[in-house]
Amino acid sequence: METDKDCIFCKIVAGDIPAEKVYEDEKVLGFKDLNPVAPFHALLIPKEHIATLRDLHPEHDGMMGGLMRAASEVAVKAGLDEGHRVVGNCLKAAGQEVYHIHLHVIGGRQLKWPPG
């Protein structure tokens, strides 16, 4: 599994930086966002370092499916019965700040459309 020694998310996967975990399996880790934009805000990341959504290849299909399934499980476990949003930003103009693929699971309040 590829990692990046300078990536904050890879350091969380390795256990070098603590995080409040909300989900974990063999390929995916979920944890609470340190700067939440809603009452519930978690990040889901693949344990493998992949910088952006544009860096995905066919061999990542199963992992990405697992990431989306995990997002649903996290939302149900968090009690987001009225709904939730799953967001994946790609590159700077879209708001990607950490270059390690991650999905935001956001809920617990009425979310507006279109976003930001």
Side-chain angles (χ1 to χ4, degrees):
M1 176 171 54
E2 188 174 330
T3 62
D4 179 338
K5 65 180 179 59
D6 297 320
C7 172
I8 190 168
F9 288 172
C10 287
K11 290 177 183 180
I12 291 171
V13 170
D16 298 335
I17 295 176
E20 187 178 344
K21 294 179 184 178
V22 297
Y23 182 89
E24 185 168 19
D25 67 21
E26 182 180 292
K27 295 181 180 184
V28 175
L29 179 64
F31 50 92
K32 295 250 181 116
D33 193 298
L34 288 177
N35 298 301
V37 299
F40 184 83
H41 187 167
L43 301 175
L44 289 168
I45 64 171
K47 290 183 176 180
E48 176 182 356
H49 181 83
I50 305 166
T52 76
L53 293 169
R54 291 186 180 184
D55 297 310
L56 290 168
H57 300 287
E59 62 266 20
H60 298 123
D61 290 356
M63 178 274 300
M64 287 302 294
L67 203 62
M68 292 301 291
R69 182 190 41 75
S72 180
E73 286 185 30
V74 165
V76 169
K77 184 178 175 184
L80 302 178
D81 299 332
E82 297 296 317
H84 65 284
R85 182 170 290 158
V86 178
V87 178
N89 300 319
C90 185
L91 301 173
K92 185 178 178 179
Q96 186 174 4
E97 295 177 0
V98 177
Y99 280 75
H100 182 125
I101 290 175
H102 56 286
L103 298 179
H104 299 258
V105 179
I106 302 165
R109 66 169 172 83
Q110 181 65 47
L111 301 172
K112 301 197 186 291
W113 193 261

